[in-house]
Amino acid sequence: MPEAPRLDARLLAAARLVKPGLPAADVGCDHGKLAAWLACTGTCPKVIACDLRPGPLAAAKATCEGCGCADRVELRLGSGLEVVRPGEVGTVVLAGISAQTTIEILQAAPWVRSAAVRLVCVPATKAPVLRCWLWRQGFALRQETLARAAGRWYTAMCAEYCGAPREPDGMECLLGLTYGQPGAAGYLRQTAEKLQKYRRGLSEDPAGAAAVDALLRALQQQEQGEK
């Protein structure tokens, strides 16, 4: 009987957002634990584990063989989604990748702009940038789950293409759908600290500094409301 590997809170949050019963692609699969979990638990009948480097794919192969699910995980070497064909998967997972790299991968795969494809993203950095891009490109943010791993807060985002671009405001970009969740206060404080750090670099941009100051005040008000 296949035994699923243990996932940290970040990857477990991503795994629980995957569309069940359909194949999934794990882009940047690294050690392969997420792919193995999806296969071992029966969440997905097939998982395509992709990585740009042979080393992580070898580690993923060992993980899947050790868990007894290698027959349901297909390893593919390549950049982003170039090794996944349109219509092959119901969910694309991009976990542990920067927001900018995530955006570049999605831009290079126009077939993800389909209501039949679910995106599950756990950006390693700059989550607000990714939220803003998704909304502007016509994706609907369906759900977010906060998770704390290695001393930091992350958010697992579930998005699907709806074809209706919208311009989000600053607070939407900063906090998305995290309001009221367990850990929301911690995530808000972490977001505010990052924004304050960004603000310190705007000494020669008065307009930009004023806009960031307004967001910091709004975050402070939101934090007081969370208490």
Side-chain angles (χ1 to χ4, degrees):
M1 185 75 176
E3 183 176 349
R6 184 185 297 268
L7 302 181
D8 67 14
R10 177 180 57 96
L11 290 182
L12 186 59
R16 287 174 172 166
L17 293 175
V18 169
K19 192 182 297 186
L22 294 173
D26 180 12
V27 180
C29 65
D30 197 20
H31 40 55
K33 288 185 179 180
L34 176 61
W37 191 96
L38 293 173
C40 287
T41 59
T43 301
C44 299
K46 173 184 175 182
V47 183
I48 301 171
C50 320
D51 209 284
L52 184 60
R53 297 165 296 156
L57 279 186
K61 180 180 180 181
T63 296
C64 294
E65 288 176 347
C67 293
C69 62
D71 58 327
R72 279 163 285 158
V73 178
E74 185 176 338
L75 306 172
R76 296 185 186 177
L77 180 66
S79 176
L81 285 165
E82 68 177 15
V83 294
V84 181
R85 296 183 297 275
E88 255 193 309
V89 297
T91 302
V92 171
V93 182
L94 300 111
I97 303 172
S98 72
Q100 186 56 45
T101 299
T102 298
I103 289 168
E104 291 169 1
I105 289 171
L106 296 176
Q107 285 177 324
W111 55 266
V112 301
R113 296 172 183 267
S114 166
V117 179
R118 176 177 295 178
L119 303 180
V120 175
C121 306
V122 189
T125 59
K126 299 184 178 179
V129 172
L130 181 56
R131 288 190 190 99
C132 185
W133 184 86
L134 288 168
W135 273 318
R136 286 175 173 173
Q137 297 299 314
F139 289 89
L141 199 56
R142 304 297 189 192
Q143 186 178 343
E144 288 195 59
T145 304
L146 290 174
R148 187 169 174 81
R152 287 183 55 201
W153 284 102
Y154 295 87
T155 180
M157 305 178 187
C158 172
E160 294 173 346
Y161 189 69
C162 66
R166 59 182 291 262
E167 187 63 30
D169 64 35
M171 286 293 284
E172 286 181 305
C173 293
L174 287 173
L175 299 177
L177 307 182
T178 65
Y179 293 100
Q181 290 193 32
Y187 184 76
L188 190 154
R189 285 192 297 271
Q190 177 178 286
T191 301
E193 288 169 3
K194 291 180 179 179
L195 194 59
Q196 288 167 349
K197 183 178 180 181
Y198 175 71
R199 169 64 176 84
R200 289 194 286 271
L202 296 176
S203 58
E204 298 182 5
D205 181 5
V212 172
D213 286 340
L215 286 173
L216 286 169
R217 287 193 296 272
L219 284 173
Q220 186 177 31
Q221 291 172 356
Q222 181 66 31
E223 183 176 9
Q224 291 171 349
E226 291 280 352
K227 292 179 180 179

